[in-house]
Amino acid sequence: MPALPPPADKPQLSAPKKDTPTFSPDKVSVIFVLGGPGAGKGTQCDRLVRDYGFTHLSAGDLLREEQDREGSQFGSLIKDYIKEGTIVPMEITVQLLENAMNDDLTHKHGNGRFLIDGFPRKMDQALKFEESVCPSKFTLFFDCPEDVMQERLLNRGKTSGRADDNAESIKKRFKTFVETSMPVVEYFEKEGKVVRIPATRAPDEVYAEVKEKMGERGFEMEK
């Protein structure tokens, strides 16, 4: 995997500083997708991929794939952080996203449209990505109160088999989202770069508003 610096002691891990982002926002469109657990991000991302030709990237999925990839110089490091319950250094997460974008454009002939789901989770991730990879067009924020998300996740937990779809874990996940990700939403909102979508409605109703807002931001559905 290209461009990852060799791991040193954890506190010293850093990526080379860049003067300009890797991708020009004139050629590549990045939309961040944020919302609490159970807000319906995945369902809406699937529809945007289908109708607008976006490539859907999940930072969490990329980290899980990298920790299991044979020959990865960072696999064991990622596992250690996850095992300790600490956040993987942002340089690794940002670099994995950059590599995935480059791979899509180079080998899969992507159209340069990317939905980055569940990222950035913290302000430092947001600033690092925009500085070194590509400035985002805007953030799609699916706004949903905790009680609605909890009900959805508890219902999902009956069949999902996911260990974190239980009341205690849901409360912790929601608390983490409010404390770390909401400042990101508020920061971009001040810059006029947030599309806030009320997500308590049925998926079709939510998507109808998403399409309307996408059109207002210059994104047309593919034929």
Side-chain angles (χ1 to χ4, degrees), residues 30-36 39-46 48 54-59 114-121 136 138-142 177 181 185 188 195 197 210 214:
V30 171
I31 298 176
F32 296 142
V33 183
L34 290 175
K41 299 185 299 295
T43 299
Q44 300 302 320
C45 283
D46 288 345
L48 287 166
F54 280 94
T55 295
H56 180 203
L57 299 177
S58 161
F114 295 95
L115 289 175
I116 304 188
D117 181 6
F119 179 92
R121 293 187 182 277
S136 63
F138 58 90
T139 295
L140 261 180
F141 173 51
F142 293 99
F177 174 78
S181 297
V185 174
F188 283 128
V195 173
I197 305 289
V210 169
M214 293 292 288

Side-chain angles (χ1 to χ4, degrees), residues 68-142:
D68 295 328
R69 185 174 68 85
E70 187 175 349
S72 168
Q73 63 181 153
F74 277 93
S76 60
L77 183 66
I78 293 170
K79 284 179 182 175
D80 286 345
Y81 275 96
I82 292 175
K83 182 180 178 182
E84 293 166 11
T86 51
I87 295 175
V88 174
M90 67 171 177
E91 290 85 0
I92 294 179
T93 306
V94 169
Q95 190 64 60
L96 289 174
L97 286 166
E98 179 180 330
N99 290 346
M101 291 169 65
N102 193 54
D103 181 62
D104 187 76
L105 292 166
T106 305
H107 302 296
K108 300 176 183 176
H109 308 293
N111 62 7
R113 289 182 171 185
F114 295 95
L115 289 175
I116 304 188
D117 181 6
F119 179 92
R121 293 187 182 277
K122 296 176 66 181
M123 271 309 306
D124 60 353
Q125 293 178 347
L127 297 174
K128 183 70 177 178
F129 185 94
E130 297 225 324
E131 168 195 291
S132 65
V133 182
C134 186
S136 63
K137 296 296 185 188
F138 58 90
T139 295
L140 261 180
F141 173 51
F142 293 99

Side-chain angles (χ1 to χ4, degrees), residues 141-189:
F141 173 51
F142 293 99
D143 195 4
C144 195
E146 182 177 4
D147 60 334
V148 175
M149 290 190 288
Q150 179 165 322
E151 183 179 355
R152 288 177 179 175
L153 292 174
L154 289 174
N155 284 331
R156 187 177 76 180
K158 295 173 184 176
T159 55
S160 71
R162 283 183 51 162
D164 56 354
D165 280 348
N166 61 76
E168 184 179 353
S169 292
I170 292 165
K171 284 187 177 296
K172 288 179 181 177
R173 288 159 64 193
F174 186 79
K175 183 173 183 286
T176 297
F177 174 78
V178 169
E179 291 176 352
T180 62
S181 297
M182 279 308 298
V184 176
V185 174
E186 290 160 4
Y187 171 80
F188 283 128
E189 208 154 33

